[in-house]
């Protein structure tokens, strides 16, 4: 299942310093805990649960499930019958029992340097309770769905936890999504209320969020689903209160007209404030609603299997899936993964650069860190604003110890060389993390050598919206690392690799990554369609949860996620991973980023069509093309030799930074029917690529 001994060759180890204090200090300890977690999950997770508050105890089996569609309906239940409230566990328990009232929960760092705010656990609790009372006054009840469409501000956390406090189900929609996408999600989850903000800046670009929210609500009306209430936070026109050092509860602010406020000189930035359309029938002002509202609110006690939140993830059919997570299992799992994978210690300052609008932000900005009483940085801005040193400036400013980001951000920054990193000390850093896609060894090495100065282990965490938390990951002081491998399973997770016929492969092998049994944090259903849940994840290989990812296991038992299975290519009968070819291309010094897709080929089945983005200042020519071909051939083998290489100054990406390979496949095949491109960040990139596509093989 997992190797008896850690691998010895070509591995990197966590520092001795880290091992001294770590929760899991050695491979043997990891192995021992892992075995316990799979042999006796009830006892393992039962021990974890002891640290949390339960209003009533669970009645049935600790973890009860059916993972096999041939035996009936799929279900997963954790601690059924127990009642609790996550908000209580994240805030009240830390403030009252753990004496963390004055500990900083968030250092909020705005888009522009100097725009900052500190929020303690006590303040967060008060603000959440106050807003929970506001929601109750608006008639929001346990089980109701509330849609949240906000920038990365403290109030986003306040809004989500206020829902949780009263047992309402939040459905957060990333603020980079369009009005159309927001509408689709509101209607699908039948939300009774929308919470949004006036607007925000991404770098120098103003996003007038309220306009988009209004457009979405109009679309909802057109579809016959009117949403009665929209609460708007005035983010850009906020008064300069509560800046660093302010420990007082927030003042009950009046809600004057934005333009008046601007004239009165209370608008912090010289940046323009958006004109906000106002519909008195529907719109409510966040600040005005708080006026005179109590900051105490009794939590609603929820059953373990009551819904906690819905988060949409793209589906292969095009219609997004509302992934549903429930209360207790998700709480136990995010708390434990956060504690162990980032080796959380009381004096840590942790920073996850994700947006709360994605699962990484849900699990590892809000739930996991707060459950552990952690201090986090909450960053509104961009890694490149006002310059490409911003991340490292923030690391030094707050003495960040644990840092978690995505390979795409690493590759982006890598393009600018070492100097912008080395301008800052980064001596506080202890653990680095990555998530979202396979990290190519070159980016891994740069992250390790340059950012972490060979001192910080890298936790390459593989997981999905559906898994709730990390499922394959190294533990920083226990698991020897291999660049590009998410290494081994987390506690309670039993991975397997299947071939096309659904047979489990042993030893070194490559195929479908699946899981054989549930862990507490796995999703429970697709909101509104349990059938879709079963057919997407459980029907292809009965008895297993199918991730949709391809995976290789090496001789040491380490897992290497190779990318979505739909990104697997079959070239002359050989399965090839696009990620593998991309990694080989990116290892060339001229290449900043690469994306590879299949293009139908009459003899080989599929051929390799490669898009490469070159580093600044590098010219594309036939010599370079030949070098790249050779590079891939040398790295992987002749069967992986690229058939086409296209110079791509930009790649089509989703707003969360994922390369949209589906569109690249269309470009490779010169198919102009693009389908749904609502998640595409910049559509001009696609047109450019069509214009410059390769017609003859290299
Ligand atoms: C990919 C993000 C390789 C994978 C948390 C998965 C990864 C999808 C990794 C889920 C990793 C995520 N190595 N691939 N460390 N992390 N992925 O739902 O294809 O946005 O299925 O969740 O991202 O994306 P999602």
């Amino acid at each position: 299942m997992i190797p008896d001994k850690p691998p010895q060759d070509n591995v990197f180890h966590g520092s001795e310093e880290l091992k001294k204090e770590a929760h899991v200090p050695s491979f043997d300890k990891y192995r021992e805990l892992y075995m316990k977690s799979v042999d006796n999950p009830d006892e393992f997770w039962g021990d974890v649960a002891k640290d949390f508050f339960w209003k009533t105890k669970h009645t049935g089996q600790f973890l009860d499930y059916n993972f096999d569609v041939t035996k009936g309906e799929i279900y997963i239940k954790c601690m059924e019958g127990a009642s609790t409230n996550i908000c209580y566990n994240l805030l009240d328990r830390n403030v009252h029992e753990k004496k963390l009232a004055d500990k900083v929960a968030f250092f909020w760092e705005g888009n522009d340097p100097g725009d900052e705010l500190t929020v303690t656990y006590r303040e967060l609790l008060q603000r959440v309770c106050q807003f929970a009372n506001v929601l109750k006054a608006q008639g929001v009840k346990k089980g109701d769905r509330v849609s949240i469409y906000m920038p990365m501000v403290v109030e986003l956390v306040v809004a989500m936890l206020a829902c949780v406090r009263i047992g309402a189900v939040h459905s957060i929609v990333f603020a980079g999504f369009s009005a159309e996408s927001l509408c689709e999600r509101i209607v699908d989850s039948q939300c009774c209320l929308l919470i949004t903000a006036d607007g925000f800046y991404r770098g120098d670009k103003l996003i007038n969020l309220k306009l988009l929210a209004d457009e979405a609500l109009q679309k909802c009306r057109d579809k016959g689903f009117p949403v009665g209430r929209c609460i708007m936070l005035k983010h850009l026109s906020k008064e300069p209160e509560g800046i660093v050092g302010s420990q007082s509860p927030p003042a009950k602010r009046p809600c004057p007209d934005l333009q008046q406020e601007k004239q009165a000189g209370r608008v912090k930035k010289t940046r323009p404030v958006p004109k906000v359309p106002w519909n008195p029938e529907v719109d409510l002002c966040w600040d005005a609603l708080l006026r005179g509202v109590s900051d105490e609110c009794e939590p609603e006690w929820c059953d373990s299997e009551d819904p906690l939140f819905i988060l949409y993830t793209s589906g292969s059919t095009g219609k997004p899936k509302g992934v549903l997570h429930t209360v207790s299992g998700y709480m136990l799992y995010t708390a434990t993964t956060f504690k162990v994978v980032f080796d959380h210690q009381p004096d840590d300052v942790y920073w996850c650069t994700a947006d709360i609008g994605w699962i990484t932000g849900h699990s590892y900005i809000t739930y996991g860190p707060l459950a552990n009483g952690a201090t986090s940085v909450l960053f509104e801005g961009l890694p490149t604003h006002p310059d490409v040193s911003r991340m490292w400036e923030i690391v030094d400013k707050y003495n960040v110890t644990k840092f978690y980001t995505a390979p795409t951000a690493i590759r982006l920054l890598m393009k600018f060389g070492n100097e912008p990193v080395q301008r800052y000390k980064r001596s506080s850093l202890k653990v680095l993390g990555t998530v979202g896609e396979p990290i190519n060894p070159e980016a891994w090495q740069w992250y390790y050598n340059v950012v972490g100065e060979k001192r910080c282990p890298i936790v390459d965490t593989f997981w999905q919206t559906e898994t709730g938390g990390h499922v394959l990951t190294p533990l920083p002081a226990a698991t020897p690392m291999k660049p590009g491998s998410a290494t081994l399973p987390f506690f309670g997770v039993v991975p397997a690799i299947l071939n096309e016929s659904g047979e489990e492969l042993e030893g070194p092998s490559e195929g479908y990554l699946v899981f054989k049994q549930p862990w507490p944090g796995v999703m429970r259903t697709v909101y509104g369609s349990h059938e879709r849940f079963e057919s997407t994840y459980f029907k292809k290989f009965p008895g297993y949860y199918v991730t949709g990812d391809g995976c290789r296991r090496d001789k040491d038992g380490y897992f290497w996620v190779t990318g979505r299975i739909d990104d697997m290519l079959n070239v002359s009968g050989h399965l090839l991973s696009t990620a593998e070819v991309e990694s080989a291309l990116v290892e060339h010094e001229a290449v900043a980023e690469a994306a590879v897709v299949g293009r139908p080929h009459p003899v080989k089945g599929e051929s390799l069509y490669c898009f490469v983005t070159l580093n600044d200042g590098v010219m594309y020519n036939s010599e370079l093309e030949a070098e790249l071909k050779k590079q891939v051939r040398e790295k992987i083998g002749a069967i992986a030799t690229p058939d086409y290489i296209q110079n791509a100054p930009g790649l089509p990406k989703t707003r969360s930074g994922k390369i949209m390979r589906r569109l690249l496949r269309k470009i490779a095949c010169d198919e102009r029917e693009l389908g749904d491109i609502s998640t595409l960040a910049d559509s001009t990139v696609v047109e450019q690529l069509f214009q410059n596509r390769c017609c003859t093989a290299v």
Side-chain angles (χ1 to χ4, degrees):
M1 191 151 12
I2 57 169
D4 293 337
K5 291 271 165 271
Q8 305 295 329
D9 305 332
N10 303 319
V11 291
F12 294 78
H13 294 277
S15 65
E16 287 307 315
E17 188 66 23
L18 200 72
K19 285 179 198 277
K20 267 190 237 155
E21 58 174 14
H23 295 297
V24 183
S26 66
F27 189 84
D28 287 345
K29 188 70 191 169
Y30 157 66
R31 200 170 193 290
E32 178 195 320
L33 289 169
Y34 177 81
M35 295 316 287
K36 181 176 172 188
S37 75
V38 294
D39 291 343
N40 196 343
D42 291 13
E43 193 184 318
F44 182 89
W45 295 108
D47 284 346
V48 171
K50 285 184 189 145
D51 196 31
F52 292 84
F53 177 83
W54 306 97
K55 189 76 178 167
T56 60
K57 297 217 167 351
H58 70 279
T59 43
Q61 226 176 310
F62 197 91
L63 195 60
D64 183 17
Y65 65 94
N66 171 37
F67 241 35
D68 187 346
V69 268
T70 61
K71 296 194 175 133
E73 190 171 291
I74 301 291
Y75 69 88
I76 304 109
K77 291 174 182 171
C78 180
M79 296 187 77
E80 212 184 15
S83 58
T84 188
N85 181 286
I86 299 200
C87 179
Y88 184 91
N89 276 286
L90 266 46
L91 300 179
D92 308 59
R93 189 179 54 113
N94 281 325
V95 168
H96 300 304
E97 270 171 52
K98 308 237 165 188
K99 308 283 176 255
L100 299 178
D102 294 319
K103 189 173 181 188
V104 172
F106 290 109
F107 289 115
W108 179 76
E109 172 82 11
N111 177 61
D112 290 311
D115 200 3
E116 59 199 20
L117 188 76
T118 300
V119 184
T120 63
Y121 273 85
R122 178 191 287 116
E123 288 167 342
L124 191 58
L125 174 59
Q126 285 168 335
R127 296 184 68 171
V128 166
C129 286
Q130 234 189 352
F131 197 67
N133 285 328
V134 165
L135 292 178
K136 281 208 283 197
Q138 290 303 319
V140 180
K141 300 179 305 299
K142 185 175 176 185
D144 287 349
R145 276 83 52 217
V146 172
S147 181
I148 304 178
Y149 186 55
M150 291 176 87
M152 283 284 283
V153 290
V154 172
E155 287 85 350
L156 169 52
V157 179
V158 170
M160 72 197 289
L161 293 183
C163 288
V164 170
R165 193 158 190 96
I166 63 171
V169 180
H170 59 72
S171 167
I172 301 182
V173 179
F174 173 56
F177 271 119
S178 64
E180 179 73 47
S181 308
L182 174 60
C183 161
E184 189 177 12
R185 287 158 175 76
I186 290 175
V187 173
D188 188 77
S189 50
Q190 306 269 298
C191 290
C192 63
L193 183 127
L194 173 64
I195 307 172
T196 189
D198 46 0
F200 62 101
Y201 277 91
R202 267 180 77 74
D204 291 320
K205 192 172 171 207
L206 171 67
I207 313 291
N208 194 333
L209 203 63
K210 178 62 166 44
L211 267 185
L212 295 168
D214 281 357
E215 209 184 303
L217 291 184
Q218 184 55 47
K219 286 177 192 291
C220 290
R221 260 174 243 126
D222 295 346
K223 291 189 178 179
F225 187 78
V227 178
R229 299 264 185 284
C230 174
I231 301 179
M232 186 199 80
L233 172 79
K234 293 197 304 169
H235 169 49
L236 291 179
S237 53
K238 212 184 280 178
E239 296 151 35
E241 63 162 24
I243 47 176
V244 174
S246 153
Q247 305 284 310
S248 59
K252 305 193 172 49
R253 295 195 290 258
C255 188
D257 168 67
L258 294 175
Q259 288 309 315
Q260 274 178 17
E261 225 179 72
K262 196 180 170 199
Q263 280 152 17
R266 281 185 305 209
V267 176
K268 241 188 297 179
K269 294 280 141 251
T270 48
R271 294 184 180 284
V273 172
K275 277 206 171 55
V276 172
W278 199 254
N279 176 359
E281 304 270 293
V282 176
D283 294 340
L284 298 159
C285 177
W286 176 295
D287 295 298
L289 290 174
L290 287 180
R291 234 175 282 154
V293 173
S294 160
D295 58 14
E296 284 178 20
C297 173
E298 180 64 15
E300 181 76 39
W301 302 108
C302 299
D303 187 88
S304 288
E305 285 304 328
D306 279 345
L308 172 64
F309 67 80
I310 299 165
L311 181 60
Y312 285 85
T313 183
S314 45
S316 51
T317 57
K319 184 175 150 49
K321 300 185 290 268
V323 170
L324 184 99
H325 285 285
T326 53
V327 175
S328 299
Y330 179 82
M331 173 170 78
L332 296 181
Y333 200 68
T334 51
T336 309
T337 44
F338 176 78
K339 176 176 166 182
V340 177
V341 173
F342 297 110
D343 190 44
H344 178 68
Q345 301 294 336
D347 53 357
D348 271 339
V349 177
Y350 161 83
W351 180 21
C352 166
T353 68
D355 192 290
I356 290 179
W358 306 110
I359 192 66
T360 305
H362 279 61
S363 300
Y364 299 113
I365 294 181
T366 301
Y367 290 101
L370 292 178
N372 282 277
T375 295
S376 301
V377 174
L378 181 65
F379 180 45
E380 185 192 22
L382 296 172
T384 49
H385 175 81
D387 61 48
V388 294
S389 281
R390 184 74 188 277
M391 303 270 235
W392 322 119
E393 182 189 335
I394 295 173
V395 165
D396 277 8
K397 177 173 173 181
Y398 298 104
N399 287 314
V400 171
T401 50
K402 313 283 164 77
F403 177 72
Y404 193 29
T405 195
T408 184
I410 298 164
R411 289 195 299 266
L412 172 76
L413 296 177
M414 226 170 109
K415 270 199 343 188
F416 298 94
N418 302 355
E419 192 278 328
V421 185
Q422 286 161 349
R423 224 180 284 163
Y424 291 89
K425 291 205 312 283
R426 292 156 288 112
S427 52
S428 53
L429 288 174
K430 291 184 180 167
V431 175
L432 302 174
T434 145
V435 59
E437 53 182 312
I439 180 164
N440 48 299
E442 213 218 356
W444 194 100
Q445 293 283 0
W446 186 80
Y447 199 27
Y448 185 76
N449 292 324
V450 180
V451 176
E453 294 178 329
K454 304 187 194 319
R455 187 182 68 243
C456 310
I458 294 181
V459 286
D460 176 354
T461 60
F462 167 82
W463 59 295
Q464 309 175 299
T465 305
E466 295 88 335
T467 67
H470 309 141
V471 280
L472 297 178
T473 178
L475 305 186
T479 319
M481 298 159 282
K482 298 189 186 190
S485 170
T487 72
L488 296 167
F490 190 74
F491 305 141
V493 174
V494 185
I497 294 182
L498 305 185
N499 65 14
E500 193 59 57
S501 334
E503 290 151 356
E504 274 188 41
L505 303 174
E506 302 295 333
S509 45
E510 183 158 355
Y512 293 88
L513 176 64
V514 299
F515 295 112
K516 297 170 73 161
Q517 63 189 50
W519 53 95
V522 69
M523 74 185 285
R524 301 302 198 253
T525 191
V526 169
Y527 186 79
S529 179
H530 198 67
E531 199 285 318
R532 190 164 178 211
F533 171 60
E534 293 182 337
S535 63
T536 309
Y537 305 101
F538 295 95
K539 287 239 164 96
K540 186 171 173 72
F541 300 119
Y544 302 94
Y545 165 89
V546 179
T547 60
D549 282 292
C551 189
R552 181 165 66 81
R553 185 170 41 215
D554 69 15
K555 64 175 185 12
D556 295 320
Y558 271 37
F559 291 90
W560 300 71
V561 178
T562 49
R564 301 295 302 181
I565 219 80
D566 33 20
D567 295 334
M568 290 288 261
L569 304 176
N570 194 325
V571 179
S572 304
H574 300 279
L575 271 188
L576 265 182
S577 132
T578 53
E580 243 174 323
V581 183
E582 286 158 12
S583 172
L585 288 166
V586 170
E587 276 177 39
H588 191 283
E589 59 187 12
V591 179
E593 193 155 30
V596 177
V597 295
R599 185 185 143 121
H601 187 278
V603 181
K604 299 197 275 186
E606 280 184 298
S607 56
L608 290 172
Y609 194 111
C610 310
F611 295 85
V612 292
T613 306
L614 302 183
N615 279 313
D616 279 355
V618 181
M619 287 293 289
Y620 192 83
N621 55 32
S622 54
E623 235 170 83
L624 176 61
E625 205 164 62
E627 267 181 49
L628 293 177
K629 238 175 105 169
K630 183 160 159 269
Q631 164 107 0
V632 179
R633 201 179 321 119
E634 276 175 2
K635 280 278 157 199
I636 306 172
I639 68 146
T641 309
D643 298 277
Y644 303 86
I645 300 181
Q646 177 172 346
N647 179 19
L651 291 169
K653 292 189 178 172
T654 62
R655 294 189 183 88
S656 64
K658 281 212 173 78
I659 296 172
M660 295 179 75
R661 288 194 172 67
R662 184 174 66 76
L663 295 184
L664 291 175
R665 273 193 286 273
K666 300 266 184 188
I667 295 161
C669 302
D670 203 16
E671 278 171 25
R672 304 258 167 175
E673 200 53 60
L674 296 182
D676 177 17
I677 53 164
S678 62
T679 54
L680 183 62
D682 177 4
S683 54
T684 57
V685 167
V686 174
E687 198 35 51
Q688 242 182 29
L689 291 177
F690 267 117
Q691 276 165 19
N692 300 321
R693 51 183 298 286
C694 310
C695 301
T696 47
V698 293

